[in-house]
Amino acid sequence: MTEAKKVFIKTYGCQMNVYDSDRMADILAREGYAATDRADDADLVVLNTCHIREKAAEKVYSEVGRLRVLKEQARAEGRQLEIAVAGCVAQAEGREIISRAPAVDVVVGPQSYHRLPQVLARAKAEGHAVETEFAEDKFDHMPASGSARRTLPVSSFLTVQEGCDKFCTFCVVPYTRGAEISRPVSRILDEARNLARRGVRELMLLGQNVNAYHGAAEDGSVWSLARLLRELAAIPGLDRLRYMTSHPRDMGDDLIAAHRELPELMPYLHLPVQSGSDRILAAMNRKHDAASYLRLIERLRLARPDLALSGDFIVGFPGETDADFEDTMRLVEEVGYAGAYTFKYSPRTGTPAASHEEQVPEAVKTERLLRLQALIEAQQKAFNAAMLGRRIDILLEKPGRLPGQLAGRSPWLQTVHVDAPAERIGEIVSVVVDGMGTNSLFGTLVEEMVLQKAIA
Ligand code: SAH
Ligand code: SF4
Ligand code: F3S
């Protein structure tokens, strides 16, 4: 019998990369690889990379540089360390990686993870680096989600859609992830049922444009995300559903109605707007303006009054003036976010905005970013503070910071720490929120409070 091989997968970027890393672990488990969290005792290191911002590729090259040293050490000890570059940098740079970083054994793009074992074998057999071609059939060849792990997180990711056809002028995703594709309904339902049977209570459906989902059902019909959510909500054990990331343009009436009608659909929505200036939104090719976004938020809040919102914002897009930036600040004031990701515009080679002449100076970007972040932080704090004294349901997910404590999530994705024994992980419990830290809340189990009163 051969000794178990070990793989270390390092993940950068978005949730989809996190999901993909787990799928790669599942595939490699079938080949006898056990997961390790250390590069220095691994037989294979996979860098699952992100290309969204500048210098992403440079970071990969310097990481490979560090791994090359380990590879040489391993060789001196008579072992072999293979290096694979996966993810969006792999897709964008392809061959370039192999020529610039000879220590790399395989380069595998996001559409080809099912071929990872074959390309590793080929690299070994042929004695040189191998790169995969772009393929679009990976979902047909992936093993069932979570097959490599005995215990799954009670809140799990499930990719339902991948790729993007929107071509925002700043973004590399349509080039790295390819055109929009939706996974067939039956595959998603099977995976969800399997996860639920294994104790998963909450699903985060993933897609670069998840609300553009249009998956084929077995009867030949095409399902929207709303339809899919309804079906998932009916699966026993799946008590909480979420989805990300959405585009304002694809927020259909049926999806808004799902927020009204499905108690399983959590009242927290990540709906990036990027800017509050119509001029900048047009230059970004976002295909919506500030007013239509605000109307959409209004309709969503009518459907689900306790809906909390988060978003993505870019400051310093080429040509952004002080007045444009003030429009963004005004929009944020108007919406009132529970949180948001904020970014300085970062020129990406090959995207239209990168060659725009009016690039905004770095100092101006920094100043705008700090102002926007301060506003959003204040909103987030106010949102969290409004929970104090309230009774809310939380899903207990994992051990907390202190012994005897568990960390759970509120319907609004806030982390809530509570004193409870480990065997209650996976339960949805009622707590009263009685404290607030910088990034989390503290709660007391309602049953505990009743007990304390009885004793007193
Ligand atoms: N599909 C999602 C997420 C795309 S990437 C969506 O459309 O919202 C996540 C975020 O990164 C984007 O929403 C955007 O705010 C940011 N981003 C993308 N490209 C960027 C760039 N070139 N510079 C700065 N931020 C960028
Ligand atoms: Fe990028 Fe725009 Fe597509 Fe989002 S919608 S992935 S920002 S191109
Ligand atoms: Fe990054 Fe690719 Fe995700 S570029 S954000 S890892 S889709």
Side-chain angles (χ1 to χ4, degrees):
M1 216 183 100
T2 52
E3 204 183 319
K5 292 172 284 184
K6 288 189 195 150
V7 56
F8 171 59
I9 305 182
K10 188 162 178 183
T11 310
Y12 304 81
C14 62
Q15 283 87 347
M16 191 165 293
N17 265 10
V18 176
Y19 178 85
D20 285 345
S21 288
D22 287 345
R23 294 292 71 70
M24 283 191 264
D26 291 334
I27 289 172
L28 292 166
R30 292 202 298 209
E31 309 294 315
Y33 282 93
T36 170
D37 50 12
R38 282 172 41 197
D40 57 358
D41 75 348
D43 302 276
L44 169 65
V45 175
V46 180
L47 300 177
N48 193 6
T49 60
C50 171
H51 203 235
I52 202 79
R53 269 169 291 279
E54 234 176 339
K55 305 205 179 86
E58 293 316 309
K59 272 191 212 146
V60 174
Y61 288 117
S62 56
E63 183 71 31
V64 171
R66 281 190 289 275
L67 291 173
R68 190 178 51 119
V69 179
L70 287 182
K71 191 177 177 125
E72 280 159 12
Q73 266 170 18
R75 189 174 295 142
E77 293 163 12
R79 291 188 299 120
Q80 228 186 12
L81 171 64
E82 286 180 290
I83 303 173
V85 178
C88 292
V89 175
Q91 188 61 48
E93 300 263 305
R95 288 244 125 234
E96 174 84 15
I97 300 180
I98 293 174
S99 50
R100 265 189 67 181
V104 172
D105 298 283
V106 308
V107 175
V108 52
Q111 304 309 324
S112 312
Y113 295 151
H114 56 291
R115 303 213 182 120
L116 193 50
Q118 288 89 317
V119 287
L120 282 167
R122 245 187 72 201
K124 214 171 242 173
E126 295 174 11
H128 62 78
V130 175
E131 179 206 357
T132 54
E133 300 293 325
F134 197 89
E136 292 208 334
D137 54 354
K138 86 167 159 184
F139 285 125
D140 296 337
H141 303 276
M142 298 287 248
S145 177
S147 47
R149 281 179 297 170
R150 243 166 299 160
T151 54
L152 293 172
V154 294
S155 175
S156 286
F157 293 142
L158 201 173
T159 293
V160 301
Q161 179 277 341
E162 198 171 344
C164 181
D165 297 339
K166 296 284 189 295
F167 290 92
C168 299
T169 55
F170 52 81
C171 185
V172 293
V173 171
Y175 311 97
T176 61
R177 290 279 169 168
E180 257 182 57
I181 45 164
S182 296
R183 291 179 70 188
V185 168
S186 62
R187 299 297 294 265
I188 294 168
L189 295 178
D190 286 349
E191 188 167 333
R193 286 193 197 101
N194 179 43
L195 292 171
R197 266 195 300 274
R198 297 185 55 197
V200 170
R201 303 291 305 274
E202 174 178 289
L203 282 185
M204 170 70 90
L205 306 185
L206 298 179
Q208 267 88 34
N209 264 302
V210 70
N211 58 347
Y213 178 81
H214 55 284
E218 269 169 355
D219 62 3
S221 61
V222 173
W223 285 25
S224 65
L225 183 67
R227 179 89 197 269
L228 184 67
L229 284 164
R230 279 174 210 282
E231 202 70 20
L232 289 167
I235 294 177
L238 284 186
D239 296 317
R240 290 185 162 195
L241 300 171
R242 306 176 186 275
Y243 60 92
M244 79 181 290
T245 297
S246 294
H247 194 289
R249 289 262 303 184
D250 296 314
M251 212 68 216
D253 291 344
D254 61 342
L255 190 51
I256 296 175
H259 279 277
R260 175 182 310 131
E261 289 154 19
L262 292 180
E264 291 83 0
L265 190 51
M266 290 292 103
Y268 184 93
L269 181 63
H270 183 68
L271 194 61
V273 61
Q274 314 295 356
S275 166
S277 153
D278 288 345
R279 219 173 57 81
I280 296 300
L281 287 169
M284 287 175 163
N285 190 31
R286 287 292 292 181
K287 303 193 181 83
H288 61 76
D289 56 19
S292 63
Y293 179 81
L294 290 170
R295 264 199 310 277
L296 181 59
I297 301 288
E298 202 178 298
R299 289 176 59 213
L300 280 158
R301 281 181 166 154
L302 270 174
R304 182 83 206 227
D306 64 344
L307 187 79
L309 288 143
S310 75
D312 291 344
F313 292 89
I314 295 178
V315 299
F317 183 83
E320 186 187 71
T321 62
D322 286 339
D324 292 319
F325 176 67
E326 295 309 327
D327 286 344
T328 299
M329 293 292 279
R330 237 188 326 273
L331 179 134
V332 172
E333 293 273 14
E334 202 154 325
V335 173
Y337 286 92
Y341 299 100
T342 50
F343 309 99
K344 285 188 212 175
Y345 170 70
S346 161
R348 311 302 291 116
T349 311
T351 61
S355 49
H356 200 294
E357 278 168 15
E358 298 166 68
Q359 298 293 329
V360 174
E362 194 57 29
V364 176
K365 285 188 199 171
T366 304
E367 193 193 313
R368 289 179 188 166
L369 186 74
L370 291 175
R371 273 189 63 202
L372 180 60
Q373 279 176 342
L375 176 59
I376 287 167
E377 260 169 46
Q379 292 187 340
Q380 183 169 14
K381 216 166 174 185
F383 180 75
N384 289 339
M387 295 287 150
L388 286 170
R390 279 183 60 183
R391 176 178 169 155
I392 60 175
D393 287 343
I394 65 168
L395 171 60
L396 296 173
E397 292 188 6
K398 55 185 180 200
R401 270 186 231 137
L402 304 173
Q405 221 179 40
L406 296 182
R409 294 273 198 164
S410 79
W412 304 277
L413 222 50
Q414 295 143 307
T415 298
V416 185
H417 292 278
V418 49
D419 287 335
E423 61 268 21
R424 303 202 62 177
I425 288 176
E427 281 184 42
I428 294 174
V429 296
S430 263
V431 303
V432 168
V433 179
D434 47 20
M436 189 178 142
T438 24
N439 290 312
S440 60
L441 300 171
F442 299 93
T444 303
L445 288 177
V446 168
E447 52 202 85
E448 195 100 327
M449 295 174 64
V450 174
L451 199 69
Q452 276 170 9
K453 259 195 206 140
I455 294 168

